[in-house]
Amino acid sequence: MSYSIGFIGGGNMAGAIVKGLISGKVYDKSEIIVSVLRNESLDRIKTELGVDATLVNSEVAKMSKIVVLAVKPHFIVKVLEEIAHVLTEDHLVISIAAGITLDQMKPFTGKAKLFRAMPNTPAAVNAAMTSICSDIPQSDPITKTVFDIFSAIGKVEFITEAQIHAAIAVHGSSPAYAYMMMEAMGDAGVLLGLPRDQAYRMAAQSLFGAALMLLESGKHPGALKDQVTSPGGTTIVAVASLEEQGFRNAIIEAMRKCADKSKEMSS
Ligand SMILES: NC(=O)c1ccc[n+]([C@@H]2O[C@H](COP(=O)([O-])OP(=O)(O)OC[C@H]3O[C@@H](n4cnc5c(N)ncnc54)[C@H](OP(=O)(O)O)[C@@H]3O)[C@@H](O)[C@H]2O)c1
């Protein structure tokens, strides 16, 4: 094997993971290969990521024991058909494609070790949340390899495959909900007299800080909210208004619909 890890698909998500692996010193550039669909993408991969690139998917599987499937879900079966004959029990195959189940991939991956991983777009700034699932028990040492790959771009949680729809609602799609909230906060800031760019910076830093407080304090989010709300103060007025407008219920319902859509796409 000439490479440690190969990616089939070199788009946004593969690019973010490759950058994280290189900057986190998990793998050297020379240990990574990426395959893409279009000729013009070869130069982009070489220039932007500094790794080797090919148009032949089976070359990736031939030359690296770890194969990350990073093409759009509707290309996964086609790609698996191309690499199935090359895969051995020594291979580790990790699919990041949404909605493609382990059972759908197993007929092609044979005895290779198979995982699904669900990162999110903050991978681009090394702040991803990735959920990982597999039939392989967590005690198997191969799990550590998968954990280390995705730890290079952020945090990792192990889940069962049945929980993947919940994970997609909680962290796959949630950057969009957070952007909507920051956009609304920015509009409100402008309404109240702040310049827009300053309002966005303030909104983003506040949500970032609140998230860090939750992660680092280990406190219940309700307890942290209570700490900000003084009797008869400004924050409790805002909290009461959010409750009146069904803020929490809107989020719960949106996430339920998101998980339902994910289930529908997997069936
Ligand atoms: N974006 C997210 O938030 C997110 C989160 C979690 C999981 N995912 C999953 O990540 C996967 C990739 O998403 P993305 O956003 O990175 O997509 P993307 O930016 O559109 O990239 C897709 C890549 O696949 C390549 N490709 C297409 N067909 C191919 C083939 N037959 N053989 C080899 N390469 C092929 C494309 O090559 P060219 O460059 O030549 O066109 C491109 O580099 C999807 O399955 C998605 O479900 C995405």
Side-chain angles (χ1 to χ4, degrees), residues 8-14 35-38 41 44 57 69-73 75-76 78-79 82 96-98 117-121 172:
I8 298 186
N12 294 319
M13 200 43 74
S35 65
V36 284
L37 185 64
R38 293 166 303 138
S41 303
R44 178 178 58 78
N57 294 329
L69 305 176
V71 294
K72 292 285 184 198
F75 286 125
I76 286 286
K78 182 180 172 296
V79 162
E82 284 171 37
I96 64 165
M118 184 51 56
N120 63 8
T121 49

